[in-house]
């Protein structure tokens, strides 16, 4: 016999929990008091104990507890099964929820991470754009790359621009397929200006970072606001959402829900005029406006973004005289998974931003990493960045 649901939970700025009845709500209130610093995910049962998962942006791994309903107390469990060395969470940097007005008046959601011990109005800022675009930055998720950026002395701005999930149907639909030189990118730019106007960040030291759709936003930021960002770091980026994405006709035709979703939210692949309009607002169509240094990472086995598209775009920039570095890992796909590729990802981000924003860095110091870079960097016209690998 299936148990009735006890708790409703949904993510927004934080993870919210509500009991379906008075008894369940009482236990939620107790747990809210216990887990006041982080988000908790309860797993109710018909027995005497609930399994509780504790998550947070400054928790390297989740914590697990048993909550006793009679005692209304928690006890920690499964610590011996953790895979990584613990980091004291108060040494890491918290994510702070913000809302700011877009140019058209819509309230846009996001987060900002402030590095410890820095003069905030004189600190370089990295805008970190999530993928999707129909996804989100969540407060309960630990990110090694975000904590590394804060540790190296950067403010990190994390916009949940319109089209992001977790804020309701209308918030997603308000993106109105307006990507590239449109309202979605403007939401990102408006957030940068909002923070600067409140004394957060050095306006002369701004960069933009992202992967997948976030990489598209990086290219858009360099193309459509060339005076704002000093450098861009783009992983697996389509330069054009109309033609840069891999299409699997068999999957596309056999999943009408996905087909209709993309038609409503991004572009109708069967409408040449719609695809042309999306292309016209893409950074690929504004190649000549990009002047800031760009670092591109890609996997040759990417099932989402066509590697031929990334090569063509990067080579066009290279031949145009732009400052660009391109790394292609033949064994990776849309997400870098191997130990050496993820180490290279973080190293290149650290090194690249240090060159253009002046943040801290640890240096190479690893022969295996040096060999990996020599094997996988395809283009490098950047005289200031990794000159030995040109």
């Amino acid at each position: 016999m299936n148990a009735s649901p006890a708790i409703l939970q949904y993510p927004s700025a934080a993870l919210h929990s509500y009991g379906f009845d008075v008894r369940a709500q009482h236990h939620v209130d107790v747990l809210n008091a216990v887990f006041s610093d982080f988000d908790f995910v309860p797993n109710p049962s018909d027995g005497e104990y609930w399994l509780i998962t504790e998550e947070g942006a400054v928790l390297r791994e989740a914590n697990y507890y048993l909550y006793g309903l009679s005692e209304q107390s928690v006890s920690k469990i499964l610590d011996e099964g953790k895979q990584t060395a613990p980091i004291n969470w108060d040494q890491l940097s918290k994510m702070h929820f913000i809302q700011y007005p877009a140019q058209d008046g819509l309230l846009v959601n996001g987060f900002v991470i402030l590095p410890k011990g820095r003069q905030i109005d004189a600190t370089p800022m990295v805008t970190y754009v999530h993928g999707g675009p129909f996804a989100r930055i969540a407060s309960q998720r630990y990110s090694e790359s975000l904590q590394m950026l804060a540790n190296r002395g950067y403010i990190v701005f994390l916009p949940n621009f319109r089209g992001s999930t977790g804020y309701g149907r209308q918030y997603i639909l308000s993106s109105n397929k307006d990507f590239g030189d449109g309202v979605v990118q403007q939401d990102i730019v408006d957030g940068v200006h909002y923070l600067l106007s409140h004394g957060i960040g050095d306006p002369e030291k701004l960069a933009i970072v992202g992967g997948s759709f976030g990489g598209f936003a990086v290219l858009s930021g360099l193309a459509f606001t060339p005076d704002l960002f000093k450098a861009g770091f783009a992983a697996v980026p389509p330069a054009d959402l109309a033609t840069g994405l891999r299409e699997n006709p068999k999957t596309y035709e056999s999943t009408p829900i996905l087909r209709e979703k993309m038609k409503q939210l991004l572009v109708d692949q069967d409408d040449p005029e719609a695809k042309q309009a999306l292309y016209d607002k893409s950074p690929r169509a504004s190649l000549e406006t990009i002047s800031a240094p760009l670092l591109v990472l890609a996997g040759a086995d990417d099932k989402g973004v066509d590697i031929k598209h990334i090569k063509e775009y990067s080579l066009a920039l290279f031949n145009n005289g732009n400052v660009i570095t391109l790394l292609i890992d033949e064994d990776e796909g849309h997400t870098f998974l191997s130990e050496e590729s993820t180490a290279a990802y973080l190293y290149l981000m650290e090194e690249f931003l240090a060159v253009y924003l002046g943040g801290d860095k640890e240096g190479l110091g690893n022969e295996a990493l040096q060999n990996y870079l020599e094997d996988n960097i395809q283009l490098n016209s950047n005289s200031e960045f990794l000159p030995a690998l040109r």
Side-chain angles (χ1 to χ4, degrees), residues 40 51 224 278 299 337 378:
F40 67 91
L51 175 65
F224 304 123
L278 189 60
L337 298 175
Q378 307 291 316

Side-chain angles (χ1 to χ4, degrees), residues 99-109 160-162 171 174 182-194:
Q99 282 189 316
Y100 57 91
Q103 284 191 0
D104 61 3
L106 179 76
L107 273 181
V108 181
N109 302 282
N160 275 330
F161 42 82
R162 71 187 79 194
Y171 196 75
S174 63
V183 295
V184 173
Q185 189 69 25
Q186 190 60 50
D187 284 351
I188 298 168
V189 172
D190 287 344
V192 174
H193 288 303
Y194 172 83

Side-chain angles (χ1 to χ4, degrees), residues 230 293 323-325 351-352 354-357 361 380-388 390:
K230 306 304 178 188
V323 178
I324 181 171
T325 303
E351 186 76 17
F352 186 70
V355 170
Y356 294 103
L357 299 189
K361 63 176 183 176
N380 186 22
S381 63
N382 193 333
S383 61
E384 296 184 66
F385 180 62
L386 303 179
R390 294 183 68 199

Side-chain angles (χ1 to χ4, degrees), residues 206 208 218 221-223 225-232 289-295 317 322-324 352 356 382:
L206 305 174
I208 183 167
V218 170
L222 299 190
T225 48
D227 297 327
L228 184 64
F229 298 111
K230 306 304 178 188
T289 64
I290 293 182
S291 57
L294 174 64
L295 175 57
L317 282 174
N322 289 72
V323 178
I324 181 171
F352 186 70
Y356 294 103
N382 193 333

Side-chain angles (χ1 to χ4, degrees), residues 112-129:
V112 64
I113 299 175
L114 304 177
K116 296 177 180 292
R118 306 283 174 159
Q119 182 181 331
I120 295 303
D121 63 353
T123 297
M125 180 162 61
V126 175
T127 297
Y128 196 108
V129 187

Side-chain angles (χ1 to χ4, degrees), residues 38-156:
F38 304 112
D39 291 320
F40 67 91
V41 180
N43 187 5
S45 72
D46 289 334
E48 176 60 25
Y49 294 96
W50 290 359
L51 175 65
I52 306 296
T53 305
E54 182 184 37
E55 301 173 323
V58 294
L59 291 179
R60 192 177 188 184
E61 287 192 81
N63 293 320
Y64 298 96
Y65 301 83
L66 285 180
Y67 171 65
L69 276 66
S70 298
E71 301 88 354
Q72 297 179 25
S73 61
V74 298
S75 56
K76 202 171 187 180
I77 60 172
L78 302 178
D79 258 5
E80 66 277 6
K82 292 196 171 183
Q83 300 298 310
T84 54
I87 300 176
N88 193 341
W89 68 266
D90 61 7
Q91 296 177 334
L92 302 175
S93 297
K94 292 184 178 181
M95 291 172 61
H96 303 277
F97 175 68
I98 61 170
Q99 282 189 316
Y100 57 91
Q103 284 191 0
D104 61 3
L106 179 76
L107 273 181
V108 181
N109 302 282
F111 295 92
V112 64
I113 299 175
L114 304 177
K116 296 177 180 292
R118 306 283 174 159
Q119 182 181 331
I120 295 303
D121 63 353
T123 297
M125 180 162 61
V126 175
T127 297
Y128 196 108
V129 187
H130 69 69
F134 311 111
R136 66 194 295 266
I137 293 290
S139 63
Q140 70 269 28
R141 294 177 187 166
Y142 176 85
S143 167
E144 188 175 37
S145 56
L146 296 182
Q147 289 298 329
M148 183 197 77
L149 290 173
N151 179 268
R152 301 303 188 260
Y154 300 108
I155 297 166
V156 187

